[in-house]
Amino acid sequence: MASPGRGMCANHPIRRALYGCRRCGKPICDNCAIASGGRFCGSECAAAFQEFQSAISDTPVRRRTRFSLLGCLRTLIISAILGAVIWFALTQLFNTTNPTQMATELKKMIRLAF
């Protein structure tokens, strides 16, 4: 069989492809999608996809269950540094260290922006 044109079904070259095979990506028409029990170009792709899905479902998922004190400390230190940088930037922008005045000025700037 000759290869189908662009946008035509891989199995029926005179029919327009509406889908792509879920496994190999070949273009397939509405009849092929229904006949193969899903959006597959043939029974080989459908069987290979089902085999792949069952292999994935049988594989156990490894999750980290260990608590990491070092990770928590690293996150805390990075958060503190980021907070200090933001605080310094706001004090330079608004020329004040008063949090209430900073919040008021920041709200004004946001309103002006939108």
Side-chain angles (χ1 to χ4, degrees):
M1 178 189 311
S3 64
R6 183 176 172 100
M8 303 309 276
C9 178
N11 300 327
H12 307 103
I14 59 172
R15 297 198 62 167
R16 183 168 299 279
L18 299 176
Y19 309 106
C21 178
R22 287 183 71 184
R23 182 175 173 267
C24 68
K26 285 182 185 175
I28 56 175
C29 65
D30 218 12
N31 281 354
C32 291
I34 294 169
S36 60
R39 293 183 181 165
F40 301 102
C41 63
S43 58
E44 297 86 18
C45 277
F49 186 79
Q50 292 301 327
E51 183 180 323
F52 174 73
Q53 288 294 326
S54 65
I56 287 177
S57 66
D58 293 342
T59 305
V61 177
R62 283 186 60 203
R63 298 203 169 137
R64 262 183 104 173
T65 57
R66 205 172 40 160
F67 174 76
S68 172
L69 182 61
L70 183 62
C72 288
L73 286 174
R74 186 178 309 139
T75 302
L76 183 65
I77 291 169
I78 291 172
S79 299
I81 292 170
L82 184 61
V85 168
I86 291 171
W87 181 260
F88 178 75
L90 288 175
T91 57
Q92 294 301 309
L93 180 65
F94 300 123
N95 293 324
T96 184
T97 56
N98 183 350
T100 307
Q101 191 176 0
M102 277 188 209
T104 305
E105 293 296 324
L106 192 58
K107 285 179 188 176
K108 286 180 188 176
M109 288 182 72
I110 291 172
R111 283 188 194 132
L112 286 174
F114 297 103

